[in-house]
Amino acid sequence: MLNLRLPHAVGSWLSRLTGQDDARRADPSDTVMRWPPTPTRVLASAERHAHKCIARALALEHPKGFLLAHVPLHKLVRVPLNQSYREWLSRTGLLTADFALCDEHGNVRSVVVMPLAGDQPRHVRKRERLLRVLEASGLPLTLWDREWQGDDDGDRLRSRLFPKPRGAGYYADMPQAH
């Protein structure tokens, strides 16, 4: 009787010999083996340009402040815990703001969202939900035009990003000039 499994056995032996069989023998629940990760670009071209402009304006308002990119909504706002936080997180957990401008103490002072022009209806609904929550929080919110490439006056951009004047009790840890 002819053994028809011989080609399969030879192929398996060659695969093991060359190390190509390791991926198939790996644990199927191993995320790294199934989806090998590689570094990617975090900010697109328009986002990099916006980051530079926003960073300049932030330095005028909060010299020791932080500019964070792609921040999850649940890191920007707090909600009362008398309702189910898990339910709120399931509704808003995947929503992110493009930029969060924080003071030197890490408190969020302003948020920038960069909507896409021809977005899919699902993404538009998600963005509207994000905007609704951010507006209800009272945080200053700026919608950034991705097509804008001009250099804006730092003070004008600063007043757009931080529309509320500083209160009388405001304290900023400013660098001292000697």
Side-chain angles (χ1 to χ4, degrees), residues 20 46 74 157:
Q20 295 174 355
H74 70 273
L157 183 56

Side-chain angles (χ1 to χ4, degrees), residues 42-43 47 51 54 58 66-78 88-89 92-103 106-114 126-127 129-131 133-134 139 141 146:
V42 176
L43 299 176
E47 292 170 328
H51 188 279
I54 294 168
L58 177 63
F66 304 97
L67 177 56
L68 306 174
H70 302 295
V71 183
L73 178 63
H74 70 273
K75 294 288 188 178
L76 297 174
V77 298
R78 268 190 238 146
W88 182 81
L89 201 55
T92 62
L94 297 177
L95 301 177
T96 59
D98 292 297
F99 296 104
L101 294 81
C102 303
D103 64 13
N107 298 312
V108 181
R109 296 298 179 196
S110 184
V111 177
V112 175
V113 177
M114 299 178 70
K126 284 176 68 174
R127 183 177 60 244
R129 194 174 332 134
L130 172 71
L131 295 176
V133 172
L134 288 172
L139 283 170
L141 177 64
R146 287 179 177 268

Side-chain angles (χ1 to χ4, degrees), residues 50-174:
H51 188 279
K52 288 177 189 174
C53 295
I54 294 168
R56 275 186 256 138
L58 177 63
L60 294 172
E61 184 75 12
H62 297 285
K64 292 185 175 182
F66 304 97
L67 177 56
L68 306 174
H70 302 295
V71 183
L73 178 63
H74 70 273
K75 294 288 188 178
L76 297 174
V77 298
R78 268 190 238 146
V79 293
L81 297 178
N82 58 353
Q83 300 289 329
S84 170
Y85 183 73
R86 181 174 287 174
E87 183 181 344
W88 182 81
L89 201 55
S90 73
R91 294 178 184 208
T92 62
L94 297 177
L95 301 177
T96 59
D98 292 297
F99 296 104
L101 294 81
C102 303
D103 64 13
E104 56 272 5
H105 305 291
N107 298 312
V108 181
R109 296 298 179 196
S110 184
V111 177
V112 175
V113 177
M114 299 178 70
L116 291 169
D119 231 347
Q120 299 173 359
R122 186 175 133 245
H123 291 119
V124 170
R125 286 192 305 274
K126 284 176 68 174
R127 183 177 60 244
E128 287 171 353
R129 194 174 332 134
L130 172 71
L131 295 176
R132 204 166 138 227
V133 172
L134 288 172
E135 287 171 355
S137 74
L139 283 170
L141 177 64
T142 303
L143 294 177
W144 191 277
D145 180 11
R146 287 179 177 268
E147 302 301 319
W148 182 75
Q149 291 295 317
D151 284 330
D152 201 354
D153 176 33
D155 285 324
R156 191 170 55 201
L157 183 56
R158 173 183 169 186
S159 66
R160 236 178 95 198
L161 294 171
F162 303 101
K164 296 177 184 175
R166 292 179 178 170
Y170 177 78
Y171 169 77
D173 191 9
M174 304 287 279

